[in-house]
Amino acid sequence: MNHEAAFPAHPLRDVRALYVRQAGCPSDFADITVDFEPWEEGIAFEVHSELRLRGSVGPDELAEYSTAAADGIRDGLSALDGPVAVAVVLRAMGVHDVDSHARAFRHAGRVAVRNALALLNGPQPGTRLRAAPGYRTIREE
C-alpha cells in the first residue's frame, strides 16, 4: 500500500468537532477533540488515557459516546476516495447533562472528519463556514 497517498498525509492535532442543534426538544450536544495520525492500513481508534472531560458523565455513557464518535469517524472516512491509514485518538469530550446522546456524538465524529479534510485541503466549495439557521454555539464556562 502507498502510505504517502493515504489519509492523513501528516498528523492533524486537536481537531475539534462541535455538533449542537437547538431547534426544540430534544436538543443535541456533542463536543469532541481528536488527533488524526498516519497509521497502518485501515482505521484504529482509541481514547486517550488522560481524556479531558468537560461536563459530567458516568462510565457507561462515556463508553457509549466514545463508541458513537468512533462510528461517526468511520462513517466519514468511508466516504473518502482513496486509501485510509489512520489512528484516531479521542483527546477531549464535552457533554451536556440533558442534550448529549450517542446520536449527537456520531454526528460529531462525521464533523471531525470534515474538519480534518478542511485543514488538509481547505473548505470544500459550498461548505458553510457559519452555523445553519436554528443552530448556535454554546459557550464553554
Side-chain angles (χ1 to χ4, degrees):
M1 179 175 152
N2 181 359
H3 288 286
E4 292 178 321
F7 172 84
H10 58 79
L12 299 169
R13 307 258 191 256
D14 295 320
V15 177
R16 185 170 182 204
L18 181 64
Y19 180 77
V20 179
R21 189 175 69 89
Q22 294 182 313
C25 290
S27 296
D28 302 313
F29 181 87
D31 185 1
I32 61 173
T33 302
V34 296
D35 293 345
F36 291 87
E37 308 258 350
W39 195 247
E40 300 168 4
E41 187 174 346
I43 302 166
F45 183 85
E46 68 179 68
V47 177
H48 194 275
S49 62
E50 295 180 16
L51 177 73
R52 297 182 313 269
L53 183 61
R54 294 176 305 279
S56 178
V57 64
D60 290 342
E61 287 174 305
L62 180 62
E64 180 183 9
Y65 296 167
S66 299
T67 298
D71 290 344
I73 289 167
R74 285 185 185 97
D75 288 348
L77 292 172
S78 70
L80 296 181
D81 291 333
V84 175
V86 63
V88 182
V89 180
L90 178 63
R91 296 242 174 227
M93 181 182 285
V95 298
H96 184 273
D97 292 347
V98 176
D99 296 334
S100 288
H101 48 80
R103 190 177 71 251
F105 280 94
R106 188 176 186 120
H107 283 294
R110 288 192 289 266
V111 170
V113 172
R114 280 198 313 261
N115 292 349
L117 291 170
L119 286 171
L120 286 174
N121 308 319
Q124 295 296 321
T127 301
R128 292 180 186 211
L129 298 178
R130 293 186 171 171
Y135 288 65
R136 71 180 178 90
T137 300
I138 298 174
R139 294 185 179 200
E140 297 177 23
E141 298 178 4

